[in-house]
Amino acid sequence: MANKIQTAPDDFRDHIATVDEEGKRVWVYPKKPKGKLYNYRKYVSYFLLTLLLAGPFIKINGLPLLMLNVVERKFVIFGVLFWPQDFFLLVLAFLALVVFVILFTVVYGRVFCGWVCPQTIFMEMVFRRIEYAIEGDYTKQKALAKMPWNTEKILKKGSKAAVFLLISFLIANVFLAYIIGIDELKKIATEGPANHLAGFGSLLAFTGVFYWVFASFREQVCTIVCPYGRLQGVMQDKKTVTVAYDYGRGEPRGKLRKKQVRTEGDCIDCLQCVQVCPTGIDIRNGAQQLECINCTACIDACNDIMRMIDKPEGLIRHESEEGIAEGKEWKFFTTRVMGYTAVLVVLLTALTALLLTRDAAEATILRTPGQLYQQTEQGQIKNLYNISVINKTNNEMPLTLKLLDMEGTVKVVGNELVLPAQGIAEGVFFTEIPRDQLTGLNSEIEIGVYHGDELITTQDTKFLGPAN
Ligand code: SF4
Ligand code: SF4
């Protein structure tokens, strides 16, 4: 049987749902969602929020689970410390993440947006629920908005703003903890803002931004700002599974009338799916709409109606465009998916290999500028070097230096080199090599940096000697 063609006008594609013809914001008052999928989303969000809030306190080998200190250019991911010298590893990890996200989106659409994205989780599972608790469901919210500024409105709006501010401040603290680390954040709290003006200023700025986003900007983040949302059109295809309305079954839509034999499709035009939508769209206008974050609230709403009118659930469901239009069985392994998977496997293999072979420290050894070689009484040739070593671990390491693949000695000038945890050690040392070992004016030598008996890194450098 040929599928019926969608009958809704197509002009919704020319503008976003939350902006009117004059370019003014259309405020969305979504109906409080309920249903099986909403309950699952709640559980997922509780888990993710716990993880996010606990993250700064979790340490692996004394290092945070995640810290992205862009100010000091120090990054910790799963307890592994990365310095700017490891930038290529971060780039590779970022590329692998991008390919993974694209691959996931090609197959499952915007599941991330609706179920995992911190913006959606905070908006729908924290701020929106507080709003429902204080102002009531959507009809009451609309009435409150129209009300003059009386005691009730001042109390409700004021208490909502206070709670929103408090939560924004909490989120700002967590956000800052992921940048500077929980220990530095504790210092701001215990030593007072006057001693940490920059940190405290950032905290206030982040609080302001979060408050504005969740109290005012809201779904506009997903439709206007988020690059991931804007790129959906090029990542998805007809086989991508998204939240979709089965227009073949639903159209022509028509109100349910008592004592009348129904000739229309299963959609009774009750608009429940539209009322619960947090981005203010009508899913019946077609799948893969720019604003749809695949939150599944409309699935729950429609399933409720289907149960009520004794029709099978799933008029709105997770389905591919092809599945709805042609009733084709969904396939996971399409050519595009296989291509992305191959790229992802290559990237992950390279990343794992580089991480496993990464040295615990990184040394830079350069001949001291302006110094030529010296010749000792025993006929040895001597060069002076500067050394700088970066510690990529959280352990302090006393260091010794040895000449590799050549006879000779290394003598550190002054105190023993000690590499502080996550820090840098700098020093000066002499290298003495018998003249007969040298290959000419400039010989290649390799210095090994040891912690006890363990060779932690090596560095090649030049050794200056007589021409013959
Ligand atoms: S159309 Fe449905 S899935 Fe998409 S954002 Fe609206 S309620 Fe969520
Ligand atoms: S909730 Fe279902 S039946 Fe009601 S308008 Fe939406 S698609 Fe039609």
Side-chain angles (χ1 to χ4, degrees), residues 243 277-279 281 283 292-298:
V243 173
C277 180
T279 62
I281 59 167
I283 189 68
C292 178
I293 53 168
N294 277 220
C295 71
T296 64
C298 54

Side-chain angles (χ1 to χ4, degrees), residues 256-434:
L256 196 63
R257 284 179 194 87
K258 279 182 189 167
K259 293 178 191 160
Q260 206 176 68
V261 180
R262 188 167 175 83
T263 51
E264 299 95 337
D266 282 355
C267 175
I268 59 165
D269 210 11
C270 64
L271 297 180
Q272 290 301 305
C273 51
V274 183
Q275 281 165 3
V276 290
C277 180
T279 62
I281 59 167
D282 186 342
I283 189 68
R284 297 172 302 167
N285 284 337
Q288 301 186 358
Q289 292 179 57
L290 168 74
E291 298 97 326
C292 178
I293 53 168
N294 277 220
C295 71
T296 64
C298 54
I299 298 185
D300 275 335
C302 189
N303 280 346
D304 239 11
I305 299 296
M306 290 300 114
R307 280 193 298 272
M308 256 185 257
I309 62 169
D310 226 7
K311 294 273 181 190
E313 292 182 3
L315 179 57
I316 302 174
R317 62 180 184 271
H318 278 115
E319 183 59 272
S320 68
E321 210 178 301
E322 198 173 70
I324 291 210
E326 298 161 29
K328 275 194 183 169
E329 208 181 301
W330 179 70
K331 275 193 197 143
F332 179 82
F333 277 113
T334 59
T335 318
R336 189 139 76 122
V337 168
M338 284 193 277
Y340 283 136
T341 309
V343 176
L344 185 63
V345 168
V346 170
L347 282 172
L348 286 178
T349 311
L351 185 65
T352 312
L354 285 170
L355 277 174
L356 290 178
T357 54
R358 194 178 83 127
D359 291 333
E362 192 166 313
T364 308
I365 297 174
L366 294 169
R367 276 196 336 97
T368 306
Q371 296 280 327
L372 288 174
Y373 65 87
Q374 295 168 24
Q375 189 156 358
T376 66
E377 287 171 5
Q378 294 78 30
Q380 306 258 54
I381 305 298
K382 211 166 154 183
N383 274 204
L384 186 64
Y385 290 92
N386 290 354
I387 181 168
S388 166
V389 192
I390 289 174
N391 192 350
K392 296 179 182 176
T393 71
N394 203 29
N395 306 320
E396 185 182 275
M397 290 191 267
L399 302 177
T400 48
L401 306 175
K402 286 179 195 164
L403 199 55
L404 303 173
D405 300 333
M406 198 178 270
E407 276 179 35
T409 54
V410 176
K411 281 187 200 134
V412 175
V413 179
N415 294 332
E416 183 195 24
L417 269 180
V418 179
L419 192 52
Q422 301 179 43
I424 298 174
E426 288 181 337
V428 178
F429 67 90
F430 281 106
T431 301
E432 282 183 24
I433 299 178

Side-chain angles (χ1 to χ4, degrees), residues 3 32 37 45 49 55 68 74-75 90 129 133 143 151 179 201 234 312 315 328 387 413 445 454 458 463:
N3 283 296
K32 196 173 173 180
L37 289 168
S45 67
L49 283 171
L68 304 173
K74 215 162 143 186
F75 307 95
L90 289 179
R129 288 173 73 187
T151 317
I179 298 176
V234 289
L315 179 57
K328 275 194 183 169
I387 181 168
V413 179
I445 61 167
E454 187 193 351
T458 62
F463 189 90

